[in-house]
Amino acid sequence: MARQIVIIGASASGIEAAAATRKKDRTAEITLITQEKTAGYSRCGLPFVIGGHIANFKDLVVYPQAFFKMLKLNLRTETKATTIDTKNKTISIQTKEGSCETLSYDALVIATGADAFMPPIKGREKRGILSLRTMEDGEKIDTAIKAGAKSAVIMGAGLIGLELGAGLMERGLKVTVIEMLPQILPQFLDADMAKLVQQHLEEKGMNIILNKVIEEFLGEDKVIAVKAGGEISRADLFISAFGVRASTQLAIDAGIPIGETHAIKTNARMETGVKDVYAIGDCAEAPNIITHRPTCAQLGTIAVREGKVAGVNIGGEYSLFSGVLASAVTRLFDIEAGNTGLTETAAQRNRIEVITGTVNSKTKADYFPGAKFIKIKLVIEKESQHIIGAQVVGGEEVTQRINCLSFAIQQGMTVRELAKADTAYAPPLCETWEPMVLAAEIAMMKLR
Amino acid sequence: MARQIVIIGASASGIEAAAATRKKDRTAEITLITQEKTAGYSRCGLPFVIGGHIANFKDLVVYPQAFFKMLKLNLRTETKATTIDTKNKTISIQTKEGSCETLSYDALVIATGADAFMPPIKGREKRGILSLRTMEDGEKIDTAIKAGAKSAVIMGAGLIGLELGAGLMERGLKVTVIEMLPQILPQFLDADMAKLVQQHLEEKGMNIILNKVIEEFLGEDKVIAVKAGGEISRADLFISAFGVRASTQLAIDAGIPIGETHAIKTNARMETGVKDVYAIGDCAEAPNIITHRPTCAQLGTIAVREGKVAGVNIGGEYSLFSGVLASAVTRLFDIEAGNTGLTETAAQRNRIEVITGTVNSKTKADYFPGAKFIKIKLVIEKESQHIIGAQVVGGEEVTQRINCLSFAIQQGMTVRELAKADTAYAPPLCETWEPMVLAAEIAMMKLR
């Protein structure tokens, strides 16, 4: 009899798990369940549809119906998993119309993702607070813009908040971003690097308010302003970008162990603490490569890598997830910013003694017209001299430098090795002395 | 008494050696000698001045007079080193005006570079055969274009030949490139990757003739056509881009040992076989990181790295050159191409058993407008599964991928590790599954 594989979630990690399972097991019955109307679209693309770079939300669908058909995957949209019974190996589901059903599984994958988080702020029950997690969320924001919204307050200066803020400005809105912490992108960049991004956003006209906690949503039943640090900001749109939290209620109710990050505990095969139950993507924990501590990075690249590992294991082969560096990158107007490994702040939080090396350089030979600025910061573990983190902010060519430094970290490259690395050069494409190499040299001066 | 440091050559490697020496030794008398009128300019930029990207040849000067003054370097232009006496530790020099002088040295650096090579072709003594090695060479070509040249034949489809060919086309010339071998860029790319570049150049209108040896230069005392494979190509300009050869005559005459690549033999401190004599840059050998065999890659990045190592050692500290991967990159019209480590062909020549993995992908998320193509080829040593080479051709974001794979090779990354690597992603900047990772996965299928 064909094995029953049930996957709760039909976004990046869930679909990757389904595809990897199918590759190894041609006969398994694979069912994907999602509460959303549309499956297999890119969440990371949402801010860019709002910004007008991509014509339609539907364009974000990277896995069309034909894909599910081709791989013989049963996709059940607008369906909610209500309970998991790990003893009898079943899950209960409920369709939009309310009809219930029980599915048996030989292997279950929890890929429930994460939900937008809203702190307990006074007035948060009022209408008109939007967020940007799903396609429907995106459509709501788009509808509001088309209905004439001219201004927005975004609460939270993380990646999603700022990408959305840039998108709204590209659509002509006046945007204010309010952040509780003293810097933008606090999870992503150190303050010195974040400052550069902030300056660029402010030059573009973004109003950024730091160090202010949102105290209250004002308005009758519909929000018309927020109060933060005693000051009132009015706007047509209010968007919650406080961050996301792993969707774990279903797992908790089923007695599946949760880890210290409040996401689902997993081992390197992406198995949870319960036999034949896997967890992947934004709802799952995985170890950080440097600290070896559990982390929940909630990035698309991590999600697909975890999904593939789970799928290979479910398909009967053996695969281990190699851990998280949380390499990530974003583009905001004309600037790109990326991070891999630990920031200086994160290293200090982990009580790792570090030195840093920071360099300002250009993206082409100095004499080549059109050269853009680039700033690179390396974080070096002092004792071993290993690179353990890197941040890059610049006008172009940032992403693959993050990948360079991610590879360097993963392979245990020392700052000394980086300072002597063999790199490529051509006047229209980079400098003779690669800025990453220069940053390593600057860091090394602090080792003497 | 101040030490006497003499450097023959005042281009990338020589100046880097001078600067590194000065950092360690504040009192040394450092003299740089060059036959050229202008020192410290970027040779690699010459094709881009001809192409009109850079306004003037003088813009290529990256080390102006003020730099030499600031570091207290004696720069002697239009001066030729005629002999080296390694026993008495002197060199003889001759100025343009013919006056001779003898300089003593405590340390001597040979940074004589390389010269354009001309095979023994019938009629090669005729006037009108240009090359592109120095600023004067570039000015001659520029003058010819301004005087009305409408067409050019370039002999040799290496990096310089093609960069110059593209530059001439950008200035409106009709360009024919004649190459003896069956592919363009034979030292740089495998045939499958070179084909992509060739197609692009042909689409732009370049006439590329492969598999044809230049047999004769035709014309009275001035060349008006070349005969290659029996066919005659007429043009207004004839440019020799057969490649360059290490300038070693001075070293040979002084009894300084030459290596198997016909460049000057060196050790890891960039010392030659004679005490207190160093050789760096295009005239010097250095070991390849993978094959451990001597190589003479003649790249600007290698030159500056070698120069720095020599300078640190001359300055009284200790530094080793970490070897050559020959990472290199070029831009030709709208395409970028790069290589690091060994091509498949070079691996076979070195009798290394390899597998390869090649992938075609895009430079942004599939749904993001403006995504360009990118093709990646990995060369994997079969036994160890280490990556030993990589080639990338694409519309953008090629250079730093070459650096990524260069780091991977230098750090002994296996194809399996690359297939599981943590990479960064954002829709406007790259795909969720990084093409380098996909190429690794494709290569791994051949390992089973």
Side-chain angles (χ1 to χ4, degrees):
Chain A
M1 217 184 82
R3 292 166 70 222
Q4 301 289 329
I5 315 300
V6 176
I7 299 169
I8 308 174
S11 195
S13 69
I15 292 173
E16 199 72 38
T21 304
R22 176 56 79 224
K23 257 194 192 166
K24 309 288 174 190
D25 185 336
R26 294 194 177 186
T27 61
E29 282 235 15
I30 304 173
T31 303
L32 294 113
I33 293 158
T34 177
Q35 281 182 259
E36 292 193 55
K37 217 185 281 187
T38 310
Y41 67 87
S42 162
R43 290 191 199 291
C44 305
L46 293 170
F48 303 98
V49 183
I50 291 171
H53 299 274
I54 299 160
N56 298 301
F57 286 99
K58 293 291 174 213
D59 295 340
L60 298 181
V61 175
V62 277
Y63 295 104
Q65 288 300 322
F67 168 84
F68 293 96
K69 248 189 198 150
M70 188 181 71
L71 292 193
K72 296 204 179 68
L73 308 174
N74 313 319
L75 173 66
R76 303 190 60 163
T77 55
E78 296 183 274
T79 300
K80 187 180 157 75
T82 50
T83 55
I84 300 170
D85 179 344
T86 60
K87 210 178 138 201
N88 294 307
K89 297 180 86 169
T90 60
I91 75 161
S92 305
I93 60 172
Q94 188 173 31
T95 64
K96 192 177 63 161
E97 294 77 24
S99 67
C100 295
E101 206 177 316
T102 299
L103 303 180
S104 292
Y105 66 79
D106 295 294
L108 175 69
V109 180
I110 305 177
T112 43
D115 298 309
F117 166 73
M118 168 63 83
I121 296 164
K122 195 174 163 194
R124 68 167 169 162
E125 69 293 344
K126 290 175 183 158
R127 280 192 306 113
I129 306 170
L130 304 174
S131 62
L132 184 60
R133 178 72 193 166
T134 65
M135 197 179 275
E136 280 83 3
D137 293 340
E139 284 163 345
K140 272 185 205 161
I141 294 172
D142 191 58
T143 302
I145 298 170
K146 284 174 180 156
K150 294 276 176 279
S151 61
V153 165
I154 296 176
M155 296 163 275
L159 281 175
I160 294 171
L162 294 184
E163 285 179 356
L164 177 58
L168 293 173
M169 286 169 66
E170 286 163 332
R171 290 285 287 280
L173 277 76
K174 214 176 132 17
V175 169
T176 297
V177 175
I178 303 174
E179 167 64 44
M180 183 177 72
L181 294 170
Q183 68 163 90
I184 63 166
L185 299 170
Q187 305 300 315
F188 183 60
L189 298 177
D190 285 321
D192 52 345
M193 299 297 281
K195 194 76 201 168
L196 259 183
V197 179
Q198 184 182 338
Q199 279 163 359
H200 180 70
L201 294 174
E202 287 173 341
E203 274 165 26
K204 290 285 175 180
M206 191 181 278
N207 179 26
I208 298 174
I209 300 173
L210 300 174
N211 278 314
K212 294 267 187 290
V213 175
I214 309 273
E215 289 141 2
E216 191 178 351
F217 292 106
L218 304 172
E220 290 294 306
D221 63 328
K222 190 177 174 305
V223 179
I224 54 159
V226 294
K227 199 165 98 184
E231 274 172 49
I232 288 171
S233 300
R234 293 179 170 273
D236 301 329
L237 279 181
F238 296 88
I239 297 167
S240 149
F242 293 105
V244 296
R245 294 288 179 273
S247 296
T248 51
Q249 199 53 54
L250 200 59
I252 291 170
D253 293 345
I256 294 164
I258 301 298
E260 62 185 76
T261 69
H262 303 292
I264 304 169
K265 245 184 163 153
T266 61
N267 64 16
R269 297 188 71 179
M270 301 316 297
E271 294 166 325
T272 66
V274 173
K275 198 173 171 333
D276 296 323
V277 180
Y278 296 75
I280 55 176
D282 292 359
C283 66
E285 269 186 9
N288 180 283
I289 289 174
I290 299 156
T291 64
H292 302 282
R293 304 214 42 85
T295 176
C296 186
Q298 295 169 328
L299 293 166
T301 39
I302 308 276
V304 295
R305 288 169 56 215
E306 292 178 345
K308 184 175 251 175
V309 168
V312 169
N313 287 314
I314 292 167
E317 294 194 10
Y318 182 83
S319 180
L320 298 183
F321 181 65
S322 53
V324 168
L325 270 191
S327 306
V329 75
T330 187
R331 193 182 76 185
L332 297 164
F333 298 110
D334 313 324
I335 214 172
E336 301 174 12
N339 172 56
T340 183
L342 302 186
T343 58
E344 188 179 1
T345 314
Q348 283 160 352
R349 202 165 49 228
N350 282 278
R351 282 173 269 152
I352 301 173
E353 200 183 348
V354 296
I355 56 152
T356 63
T358 303
V359 77
N360 283 294
S361 187
K362 292 199 163 179
T363 58
K364 300 177 195 291
D366 205 38
Y367 54 78
F368 206 95
K372 295 178 180 170
F373 91 96
I374 193 158
K375 183 172 183 171
I376 297 182
K377 177 175 181 173
L378 299 177
V379 181
I380 314 291
E381 206 264 313
K382 200 170 172 184
E383 195 184 351
S384 67
Q385 304 194 1
H386 282 145
I387 305 159
I388 61 168
Q391 295 156 65
V392 184
V393 176
E396 61 187 347
E397 300 277 340
V398 166
T399 308
Q400 298 305 327
R401 282 192 170 94
I402 288 296
N403 285 346
C404 283
L405 295 163
S406 169
F407 288 10
I409 296 171
Q410 287 168 80
Q411 294 302 114
M413 194 183 231
T414 63
V415 64
R416 208 169 285 272
E417 286 167 329
L418 178 54
K420 293 209 167 185
D422 186 293
T423 58
Y425 154 65
L429 299 169
C430 52
E431 276 278 23
T432 318
W433 281 108
E434 165 55 38
M436 297 183 285
V437 170
L438 294 180
E441 211 163 289
I442 287 167
M444 273 177 60
M445 292 182 199
K446 300 187 192 168
L447 286 172
R448 280 169 198 156
Chain B
M1 215 186 82
R3 292 167 70 223
Q4 300 289 329
I5 316 299
V6 177
I7 300 169
I8 308 174
S11 194
S13 69
I15 292 174
E16 199 71 38
T21 303
R22 175 58 77 223
K23 257 193 192 168
K24 309 287 174 193
D25 186 337
R26 293 193 178 186
T27 60
E29 282 236 17
I30 304 174
T31 304
L32 294 113
I33 293 159
T34 177
Q35 282 182 260
E36 291 194 55
K37 215 185 282 184
T38 310
Y41 67 89
S42 163
R43 290 191 200 291
C44 306
L46 293 170
F48 303 98
V49 183
I50 291 171
H53 299 275
I54 299 161
N56 298 300
F57 285 100
K58 294 288 175 214
D59 295 341
L60 298 182
V61 176
V62 278
Y63 296 105
Q65 288 300 322
F67 169 85
F68 293 96
K69 244 185 201 157
M70 187 181 70
L71 291 193
K72 298 204 178 66
L73 307 174
N74 315 318
L75 173 64
R76 304 190 61 161
T77 53
E78 296 184 272
T79 300
K80 189 179 157 75
T82 49
T83 54
I84 301 171
D85 179 344
T86 61
K87 212 178 138 201
N88 295 307
K89 298 179 85 169
T90 60
I91 75 161
S92 306
I93 59 172
Q94 187 172 32
T95 64
K96 195 177 62 163
E97 293 76 25
S99 68
C100 294
E101 205 176 318
T102 299
L103 304 180
S104 292
Y105 66 80
D106 295 293
L108 175 70
V109 180
I110 304 177
T112 42
D115 297 309
F117 165 75
M118 168 64 84
I121 295 164
K122 194 174 164 194
R124 68 168 167 160
E125 70 290 346
K126 289 176 182 155
R127 279 193 306 114
I129 306 170
L130 303 173
S131 62
L132 184 60
R133 177 74 193 165
T134 65
M135 197 180 274
E136 279 84 3
D137 293 339
E139 283 165 345
K140 273 185 206 162
I141 294 172
D142 191 59
T143 302
I145 298 170
K146 284 174 179 156
K150 294 275 175 281
S151 62
V153 165
I154 294 175
M155 297 163 273
L159 280 174
I160 293 171
L162 295 183
E163 285 179 355
L164 176 58
L168 292 174
M169 287 168 67
E170 285 163 334
R171 289 285 287 277
L173 277 75
K174 215 175 133 10
V175 169
T176 297
V177 175
I178 303 175
E179 166 63 44
M180 183 177 71
L181 293 169
Q183 68 164 89
I184 63 165
L185 299 169
Q187 305 300 317
F188 184 60
L189 298 176
D190 285 321
D192 52 345
M193 299 297 281
K195 194 78 200 166
L196 260 182
V197 179
Q198 184 183 339
Q199 278 162 1
H200 180 71
L201 294 174
E202 287 174 339
E203 275 164 27
K204 291 286 175 181
M206 191 182 279
N207 179 28
I208 298 174
I209 300 173
L210 300 174
N211 276 316
K212 294 268 188 292
V213 175
I214 309 273
E215 291 142 0
E216 192 178 351
F217 292 105
L218 305 173
E220 291 293 306
D221 64 325
K222 188 174 176 306
V223 179
I224 55 160
V226 295
K227 199 165 99 185
E231 273 172 50
I232 288 170
S233 301
R234 291 179 170 273
D236 300 328
L237 280 181
F238 296 88
I239 297 167
S240 149
F242 293 104
V244 295
R245 295 286 180 275
S247 295
T248 51
Q249 199 53 54
L250 200 59
I252 290 171
D253 293 345
I256 294 164
I258 301 298
E260 62 185 77
T261 69
H262 303 293
I264 303 169
K265 245 184 165 157
T266 61
N267 65 15
R269 297 187 72 177
M270 302 316 299
E271 294 166 325
T272 67
V274 174
K275 199 170 171 336
D276 295 322
V277 180
Y278 296 76
I280 54 176
D282 292 0
C283 66
E285 270 186 7
N288 181 284
I289 290 175
I290 299 156
T291 64
H292 302 281
R293 303 211 47 80
T295 175
C296 186
Q298 296 169 328
L299 293 166
T301 40
I302 309 274
V304 293
R305 288 169 56 217
E306 291 177 346
K308 185 175 250 173
V309 167
V312 171
N313 287 315
I314 292 167
E317 294 195 10
Y318 182 82
S319 180
L320 298 183
F321 181 65
S322 55
V324 168
L325 270 190
S327 306
V329 74
T330 187
R331 193 181 78 184
L332 298 163
F333 299 111
D334 312 325
I335 214 173
E336 301 174 12
N339 172 57
T340 183
L342 302 185
T343 58
E344 189 179 2
T345 314
Q348 283 160 353
R349 200 165 50 227
N350 282 278
R351 280 173 270 152
I352 301 173
E353 199 182 350
V354 295
I355 57 152
T356 64
T358 303
V359 76
N360 284 293
S361 187
K362 292 198 163 181
T363 57
K364 300 175 194 292
D366 205 37
Y367 54 79
F368 207 95
K372 295 178 180 170
F373 90 97
I374 193 157
K375 184 171 183 171
I376 296 181
K377 177 174 182 174
L378 299 177
V379 180
I380 314 292
E381 206 264 313
K382 200 172 173 184
E383 195 183 352
S384 67
Q385 303 193 3
H386 283 144
I387 306 159
I388 60 167
Q391 295 155 66
V392 184
V393 176
E396 59 187 347
E397 300 278 339
V398 166
T399 309
Q400 297 305 327
R401 282 190 170 94
I402 287 297
N403 284 347
C404 283
L405 295 162
S406 169
F407 288 9
I409 295 171
Q410 287 168 80
Q411 293 302 115
M413 194 182 231
T414 64
V415 64
R416 207 170 285 273
E417 286 167 330
L418 178 54
K420 294 209 166 186
D422 188 292
T423 58
Y425 154 66
L429 299 170
C430 52
E431 275 278 23
T432 318
W433 282 108
E434 165 55 40
M436 296 183 285
V437 169
L438 294 180
E441 213 164 287
I442 286 166
M444 275 177 60
M445 291 182 199
K446 300 186 190 165
L447 286 173
R448 280 168 196 154

